[in-house]
Amino acid sequence: FYVSFFQVKSEGPKLVPFFKATCVYFVLWLPTSSPSWFSALIKCLPIFCLWVFLLAHGINFLVSHRSASRILAGLIFSAVGDAFLIWQEQGYFIHGLLMFAITHILYSSAFGMKPLDLKAGLLMGLVCSSCYAFLYSYLSGPFTYLVAVYIALIGFMGWRAVAGMQLCNDLWTWTKLSACIGAMLFMVSDLTIALNKFCFPVPYSRFIIMATYYAAQMLIALSAVESRDEEDFRKRS
């Protein structure tokens, strides 16, 4: 418990720029009807801060810990995807979809395949299949299969994050919990996007989408730092 408290305390100050950037986004609340490079910058700024958060742990840490470097790469693709989605009404929605699909592949790789936990995989498969079954009648053209592939990828990412928890074996850590909650919030954010774009207007959709999205990215970024923080704790003890 004390190790976890130390880790949370040590990481908190490094996230202050992220929280400030997120507040700037919600305070300005830039209209989606007039996309611009400025609005893209403001939207991507919290993700840029998460880049800095991970880079602050040192290049050697990122090089020696593949999971952390893959999460950083996922954050980079996320920022590109965010920029594309600013211009989604101009035909760049699929580009954004592709960037986030790559992000989920990178996050899945970072979370790893051990433990396998087939029960969690089956449950996630049922949830994702149900979501796609609901969306299917609203989809047309290339979105019929693009959305299916995307749901499969984010569902796989969610499975790997949940599998890492190992609650039954009491092997979970606060960083694995961060990954799990972050993955679930990412799925909520993307489901809200899909419902709002393809099915029906979702009340307060933009707030729901961005609040869950930023929280998800922060928690996933936090999940990358466990190894470094444990090393620091042992040095200070």
Side-chain angles (χ1 to χ4, degrees), residues 91-193:
Y92 288 96
F93 181 80
I94 291 179
H95 298 73
L97 198 70
L98 175 61
M99 293 299 103
F100 281 107
I102 296 172
T103 293
H104 297 317
I105 293 172
L106 287 164
Y107 286 169
S108 298
S109 178
F111 298 150
M113 290 301 297
K114 294 180 180 180
L116 194 59
D117 197 348
L118 292 177
K119 291 182 180 178
L122 179 60
L123 178 60
M124 192 63 64
L126 290 173
V127 170
C128 291
S129 297
S130 299
C131 290
Y132 182 70
F134 178 83
L135 292 169
Y136 181 78
S137 61
Y138 295 94
L139 302 173
S140 60
F143 286 115
T144 304
Y145 58 86
L146 287 176
V147 171
V149 172
Y150 187 85
I151 288 177
L153 289 174
I154 194 173
F156 186 82
M157 185 272 291
W159 169 32
R160 298 322 309 146
V162 171
M165 281 289 294
Q166 300 187 70
L167 287 175
C168 295
N169 298 324
D170 198 28
L171 295 174
W172 69 278
T173 63
W174 74 273
T175 47
K176 290 177 180 177
L177 179 62
S178 293
C180 182
I181 297 174
M184 296 302 101
L185 288 175
F186 216 135
M187 294 177 73
V188 170
S189 179
D190 282 357
L191 179 59
T192 306
I193 290 175

Side-chain angles (χ1 to χ4, degrees), residues 184-222:
M184 296 302 101
L185 288 175
F186 216 135
M187 294 177 73
V188 170
S189 179
D190 282 357
L191 179 59
T192 306
I193 290 175
L195 292 174
N196 193 65
K197 182 173 182 64
F198 299 114
C199 303
F200 48 79
V202 177
Y204 308 106
S205 60
R206 191 174 178 197
F207 176 80
I208 295 171
I209 290 166
M210 297 311 298
T212 53
Y213 170 69
Y214 285 141
Q217 294 283 38
M218 179 196 71
L219 289 169
I220 290 173
L222 270 173

Side-chain angles (χ1 to χ4, degrees), residues 9 25-26 32 36 81 89 134 205 208:
K9 184 178 179 181
Y25 173 82
F26 283 110
T32 54
S36 66
E89 300 302 327
F134 178 83
S205 60
I208 295 171

Side-chain angles (χ1 to χ4, degrees), residues 52-65 68 72 228:
V52 175
F53 168 74
L54 288 180
L55 289 169
H57 289 80
I59 298 298
N60 290 336
F61 168 73
L62 293 173
V63 171
S64 60
H65 294 81
L72 176 60
R228 173 58 181 268

